[in-house]
Amino acid sequence: MASESRSASSPPGPDRVAAWTADYRPLPGIPDEFIAADGAKRAYWTRFLDALAALSPEEIAQRFAAADRRIRDMGVSYRVHGEAAERHWPLGRMPLLIAEAEWREIARGVEQRAELLERILADLYGEGKLVAEGFLPAAAIAGSKDYLPQMNGVKPRGGHWLRLYAAEIGRGPDGRWWVLGDRAQAPSGSGYTLENRLVLSQTFPAFFREMNVERLAPFFRELRAGMRAAADRPDPRICILTPGPWSQTYFEQAYLARYLGFLLIEGADLVMNEGRMFVRTIAGLKRADVLWRHVDSDWVDPLELNPASRLGAPGLIDAIRASGVAVENMPGTGLLESRALLAFLPRLAERLLGETLRMPNIATWWCGQSRARDHVLASLDEIAIAGAFTRDAPGFAGRPIVLGSELSAEERGRLEKRLAERGVDFVGQEVARLSTTPHWENGKLAPRPFVLRVYAAATPDGWRVMPGGFCRVSDKPDARVVSMGEGVESADVWVLADKPVEASTLLPARSEQRIVRLLGNLPSRAADNLFWFGRYIERCEATLRLARCLTNRAIDPDASSAVARQSIDKLKTVLVAWGAIPADAGKQAAVEASAAALRSEENYGSALSIARAARHAASIIRERLTQDTWRLIGGLEEGLARSGGRPLSEPEILDAVEAALTTIAALSGLFDENFNRGAGWYFYDIGRRVERGINTCRFARQLADKPATDNNLDVLLDLIDSQITYRSRYLTGVAPALVRDMALLDPFNPRSVGFQVATIDDHIAGLPVLRQDGMLEEPRRLSIQLRAELSTDDAERMDGRAILAIEQRLAHLADAIGARYFLQSGKPKHAEKIMSLA
């Protein structure tokens, strides 16, 4: 196998592999992926390690560092339940390697299991024969909070209750693969699987090609085809229904939306009308044909399910009943994840499929049956106890499983009492000892337990299993449960074909290609957040300019003069009014006030706080942003946060301001050069220009009202970044009317209020309208009026009252834009003819 790169000073050879594996010993009684039961090293692992050994230690370190950098640059992240901050995705150094022949057996077992679970769901929500005939106790189904009686009698559009199923599997002590659990509610991890593959294949491209790794794109292409087939029109609108940016896997949902070309929406984006679901867009309601659900079943419809839900869409269950929308996976499928069901699957496979399970699950006894409960009580020292329908064992918060042999006398007595009184809440299970795979630790390999999640998609041609999966590797050698928390890494999964694998893509065939220049209708929520992202970025820039100007004025040799002190006081007054510094900070030294405006955690108007608000708005539209854009957004916040902790000197304040302004300039450049000139860019740019216009009015009211000193006028020119333009245009010193004209009316100055209003008016003219009677909608009417008045106004007559009137009208225009296009305005606007909705 050809090496990625060879080092002349460090030749490849078996010595390096021997050093990596010198201490590698499979755990007693535990199967290992590298070393077989007979002690032989598997050939494909040896082949991979020999290729890795062809690189020098420096090259290996560089490649690992490049992988970490790609993860940071792409913003790959996840959130642990209960934590507010996101974590960088922990991708392990070593892939999990599985031979093609073994994978075929895994795929057959997962396909069979997916079909079995599909038939179980169809019966439980249909004829109910399995319960009536005694194959399933009713309590084993009704005990699950994910069983939804509201779905009884429903026929899924597209014919499938499950569109995407995942099996958690591990290799058992006998070397066979066993199912540890089922994921049918809204299986996560497939998007992270894609990211793992992207990063590791770029880290070791030659390894990836020469080891004949199966590609993932065909699986996602067929998953998308299955969702398209579930719709009742040829060009359906497929949406990913997300809980929002606080979801633990929001990055994955945004990434899948971008990768597959789906629309990422929240429940508030949806409205039910006449048995169909529609997305609220800036052009009115647009039909949602398919919803890929990432919201738990109980939260999808506050009318019929959990009334406290703010994540779902009122009326969704009615729309499902009317076959007005296809939902993948259907609400109610989460009951398959209950451990109680595992006890009955072997018998159900024979009843529904006429087959034994190809891949059995770990032995499970549901304690709702007296015989099984007696067996569990008699075997407490040998088996694990878990909740039949809950994540944690009842009475043992934070513990998914408990072992009778490890309990205190008091705990054991409590468990036995609860098992006797409410056995339906518990299952007993064979203790799962996870097999191990090589894990890179401190320059060596060590065996570590892992869990593999394998995905199956319902496609027009039957079930298709992803050739790969989502692997989690623990850092603890005795782990029994592996979840994405501290010390757990994810590994790319390489299914190794026997012959070269063709490159694959999600791009359509030439016969299916259709030219599209705009990305469809913009959801109102996306427009709202693009608008506010633009406003926050502009507000952050204005705050930074205030802090820079205040610092520069404070270190000026003439700062002690009365005129200079007046300008400094006015700058601090603006910062107080903006919430950038507290009210009593007006008495602080100018440098202290500048530092607070720059990096205060407490002040809502500080540059740091505004940068965080911008990042939050951007997170909601993450699927629309490039990796470079997202990296700059995060860099703006991180750069300002780094300036905290200790008092800052004047040079440090100025350096931090310049760095942040440079980041904003780069961000603006990316948006202007790379963002498609559709409605989304219009709203972002309108937000920036509304905020810039309002801020310029506020500056002018403080610094250019009659009478205005030369020093104050000079400060105003600094704040609106127009010093060079003014000096090149006027050979005289600053004059009130000239500065007011440049700041407020000049149509050729990209920093003037007049320029902002003219651009806003042009953008609004390019947005969709709902009225068909030729009358102007409110935002356009207001922008035309304001543009005309600023075009004909006279700077000589303008005073603080006139400038305040312009500022208020800009704010009114922003409110009108929100009322017309965004969600928070109460009752959203609807198109005039429901029949015309697309």
Side-chain angles (χ1 to χ4, degrees):
M1 178 177 177
S3 68
E4 292 279 334
S5 172
R6 296 181 184 272
S7 170
S9 60
S10 181
D15 291 347
R16 189 170 299 142
V17 176
W20 292 340
T21 59
D23 300 324
Y24 195 97
R25 302 286 186 276
L27 303 179
I30 301 296
D32 184 72
E33 297 305 304
F34 174 34
I35 299 179
D38 60 3
K41 297 175 181 177
R42 290 188 169 91
Y44 48 83
W45 266 107
T46 300
R47 187 175 166 215
F48 174 82
L49 293 176
D50 285 344
L52 186 62
L55 306 178
S56 70
E58 294 77 18
E59 289 172 310
I60 294 173
Q62 288 171 0
R63 290 175 185 269
F64 288 163
D68 292 339
R69 187 168 57 252
R70 287 190 184 99
I71 288 172
R72 291 194 303 272
D73 290 349
M74 292 188 296
V76 187
S77 61
Y78 72 110
R79 181 177 280 110
V80 174
H81 181 68
E83 293 184 355
E86 290 182 320
R87 299 185 182 189
H88 288 303
W89 186 246
L91 177 60
R93 309 310 195 192
M94 295 289 106
L96 172 66
L97 307 182
I98 301 178
E100 182 181 39
E102 186 169 29
W103 187 261
R104 280 198 295 266
E105 291 303 312
I106 291 173
R108 291 191 187 104
V110 173
E111 287 173 5
Q112 181 202 47
R113 196 175 185 89
E115 181 61 26
L116 171 61
L117 296 177
E118 173 69 35
R119 295 191 187 187
I120 291 173
L121 285 169
D123 177 84
L124 293 177
Y125 288 114
E127 297 181 74
K129 289 184 178 180
L130 295 177
V131 172
E133 295 174 0
F135 285 89
L136 268 176
I141 303 303
S144 171
K145 65 180 178 58
D146 292 307
Y147 171 68
L148 301 182
Q150 295 87 340
M151 300 303 293
N152 287 332
V154 170
K155 301 291 185 184
R157 190 204 277 178
H160 281 277
W161 286 86
L162 289 175
R163 180 66 58 185
L164 182 67
Y165 159 74
E168 303 270 13
I169 68 173
R171 197 188 292 273
D174 59 356
R176 297 175 59 200
W177 291 93
W178 291 71
V179 176
L180 307 175
D182 300 291
R183 293 292 175 265
Q185 172 81 267
S188 63
S190 60
Y192 289 116
T193 300
L194 272 173
E195 283 291 356
N196 289 348
R197 173 60 52 84
L198 176 65
V199 172
L200 215 60
S201 63
Q202 290 179 347
T203 302
F204 300 113
F207 296 3
F208 183 77
R209 288 191 306 271
E210 296 177 20
M211 293 200 71
N212 302 330
V213 180
E214 292 277 6
R215 305 307 201 257
L216 301 181
F219 171 82
F220 286 96
R221 185 169 58 240
E222 294 194 32
L223 171 64
R224 185 170 62 184
M227 291 189 180
R228 289 174 62 90
D232 60 359
R233 57 177 180 166
D235 192 18
R237 183 173 287 108
I238 303 176
C239 308
I240 293 180
L241 179 60
T242 173
W246 295 108
S247 168
Q248 292 173 257
T249 57
Y250 184 73
F251 168 84
E252 174 187 39
Q253 297 152 28
Y255 179 75
L256 286 170
R258 184 167 58 243
Y259 180 73
L260 295 169
F262 295 168
L263 197 63
L264 187 66
I265 62 170
E266 297 181 26
D269 294 323
L270 292 169
V271 62
M272 196 273 281
N273 191 293
E274 298 181 358
R276 293 191 182 275
M277 298 306 297
F278 296 89
V279 181
R280 308 176 201 258
T281 78
I282 61 171
L285 300 180
K286 299 296 177 182
R287 183 173 160 191
D289 301 277
V290 181
L291 299 179
W292 184 0
R293 177 176 64 86
H294 288 259
V295 175
D296 285 353
S297 296
D298 190 41
W299 298 84
V300 298
D301 186 344
L303 289 183
E304 295 210 34
L305 300 172
N306 189 336
S309 173
R310 299 176 66 89
L311 305 177
L316 177 58
I317 299 298
D318 259 349
I320 294 173
R321 290 194 190 104
S323 292
V325 65
V327 178
E328 322 287 6
N329 290 337
M330 288 280 281
T333 53
L335 71 88
L336 296 176
E337 298 184 4
S338 68
R339 296 183 183 91
L341 194 60
L342 293 173
F344 304 96
L345 289 183
R347 189 181 178 201
L348 291 175
E350 295 176 357
R351 165 69 175 79
L352 295 173
L353 303 177
E355 302 170 353
T356 58
L357 287 175
R358 287 179 176 270
M359 189 186 300
N361 47 256
I362 55 175
T364 303
W365 299 268
W366 178 54
C367 297
Q369 296 174 309
S370 57
R371 199 165 155 193
R373 183 173 61 251
D374 292 343
H375 170 77
V376 168
L377 284 168
S379 310
L380 272 183
D381 288 333
E382 291 83 36
I383 63 176
I385 304 298
F389 312 108
T390 56
R391 176 181 175 83
D392 295 335
F396 296 87
R399 297 167 68 178
I401 60 171
V402 294
L403 299 176
S405 59
E406 296 179 357
L407 296 177
S408 66
E410 185 274 330
E411 289 175 324
R412 186 183 178 105
R414 177 158 51 91
L415 175 61
E416 291 174 340
K417 184 173 184 294
R418 293 195 65 157
L419 277 168
E421 292 175 349
R422 280 195 57 86
V424 293
D425 294 337
F426 295 88
V427 296
Q429 291 187 312
E430 178 184 2
V431 177
R433 301 286 181 180
L434 301 177
S435 59
T436 56
T437 189
H439 182 250
W440 188 269
E441 293 182 6
N442 302 318
K444 292 187 176 183
L445 295 177
R448 290 293 179 261
F450 72 95
V451 171
L452 175 58
R453 183 174 296 180
V454 183
Y455 300 89
T459 78
D461 299 319
W463 291 99
R464 172 69 181 262
V465 174
M466 179 195 292
F470 179 54
C471 179
R472 287 157 294 160
V473 183
S474 175
D475 65 340
K476 300 178 178 63
D478 61 344
R480 300 184 183 97
V481 178
V482 182
S483 59
M484 291 310 298
E486 287 289 348
V488 174
E489 291 182 346
S490 178
D492 192 15
V493 180
W494 291 9
V495 176
L496 308 178
D498 297 329
K499 57 185 178 180
V501 178
E502 290 185 13
S504 184
T505 176
L506 245 64
L507 295 177
R510 288 189 178 184
S511 60
E512 302 172 351
Q513 292 174 359
R514 181 172 60 90
I515 295 175
V516 177
R517 290 179 173 173
L518 293 176
L519 298 177
N521 296 109
L522 184 70
S524 297
R525 176 185 54 85
D528 188 353
N529 284 284
L530 281 163
F531 175 82
W532 276 102
F533 174 70
R535 290 198 68 170
Y536 286 135
I537 288 296
E538 188 65 32
R539 191 175 300 176
C540 186
E541 180 179 340
T543 305
L544 291 166
R545 291 183 181 279
L546 281 166
R548 180 174 66 180
C549 197
L550 182 57
T551 304
N552 282 330
R553 289 301 185 276
I555 62 178
D556 189 279
D558 297 325
S560 60
S561 68
V563 174
R565 283 201 307 272
Q566 183 200 42
S567 297
I568 289 173
D569 289 342
K570 285 184 175 294
L571 289 169
K572 288 197 284 187
T573 298
V574 174
L575 288 171
V576 168
W578 284 16
I581 59 177
D584 59 359
K587 301 175 184 178
Q588 288 181 344
V591 173
E592 293 177 5
S594 295
L598 184 68
R599 49 89 182 266
S600 171
E601 298 269 0
E602 294 77 23
N603 302 333
Y604 65 87
S606 72
L608 174 58
S609 297
I610 299 169
R612 285 176 174 162
R615 190 174 192 272
H616 177 70
S619 71
I620 301 173
I621 49 170
R622 191 165 179 172
E623 79 283 6
R624 297 174 181 272
L625 304 177
T626 66
Q627 294 171 4
D628 290 338
T629 303
W630 182 252
R631 185 172 67 251
L632 286 173
I633 293 168
L636 176 63
E637 177 191 351
E638 291 168 10
L640 290 168
R642 280 197 299 270
S643 67
R646 59 178 178 78
L648 298 179
S649 65
E650 293 91 335
E652 288 174 322
I653 293 173
L654 294 175
D655 286 346
V657 168
E658 293 301 336
L661 288 174
T662 300
T663 301
I664 290 175
L667 193 57
S668 300
L670 274 178
F671 260 86
D672 289 344
E673 293 297 323
N674 295 342
F675 211 96
N676 193 278
R677 287 303 192 273
W681 185 83
Y682 282 167
F683 280 104
Y684 155 77
D685 202 52
I686 288 172
R688 289 206 70 167
R689 296 187 182 281
V690 163
E691 188 68 27
R692 183 176 295 177
I694 290 174
N695 294 342
T696 301
C697 286
R698 290 174 176 171
F699 296 156
R701 281 196 293 116
Q702 282 291 327
L703 300 163
D705 194 10
K706 300 176 181 179
T709 67
D710 289 356
N711 202 59
N712 286 349
L713 294 172
D714 196 59
V715 169
L716 176 57
L717 289 173
D718 274 347
L719 292 175
I720 65 171
D721 199 20
S722 296
Q723 282 280 12
I724 294 176
T725 303
Y726 186 90
R727 302 301 176 193
S728 63
R729 187 178 298 177
Y730 303 111
L731 299 180
T732 60
V734 291
L738 302 182
V739 174
R740 286 193 208 104
D741 181 80
M742 182 162 284
L744 301 169
L745 305 178
D746 186 350
F748 304 105
N749 179 14
R751 289 281 173 175
S752 77
V753 177
F755 188 96
Q756 313 315 313
V757 171
T759 305
I760 292 168
D761 181 52
D762 290 341
H763 288 348
I764 293 175
L767 294 175
V769 296
L770 297 180
R771 299 187 65 157
Q772 305 298 325
D773 56 6
M775 298 297 291
L776 293 174
E777 292 183 338
E778 183 74 356
R780 185 75 205 284
R781 184 180 63 79
L782 294 175
S783 67
I784 287 176
Q785 287 179 345
L786 187 53
R787 181 178 190 173
E789 292 180 18
L790 289 175
S791 298
T792 57
D793 216 331
D794 180 6
E796 284 284 3
R797 71 156 198 91
M798 301 189 81
D799 57 11
R801 182 176 298 179
I803 298 170
L804 177 60
I806 296 171
E807 179 185 332
Q808 291 172 336
R809 292 178 66 180
L810 270 170
H812 183 45
L813 174 58
D815 289 341
I817 291 169
R820 161 62 180 85
Y821 293 107
F822 304 154
L823 291 179
Q824 79 275 13
S825 56
K827 185 177 180 180
K829 303 289 185 181
H830 289 244
E832 292 180 330
K833 295 182 180 179
I834 197 72
M835 295 301 292
S836 68
L837 301 180

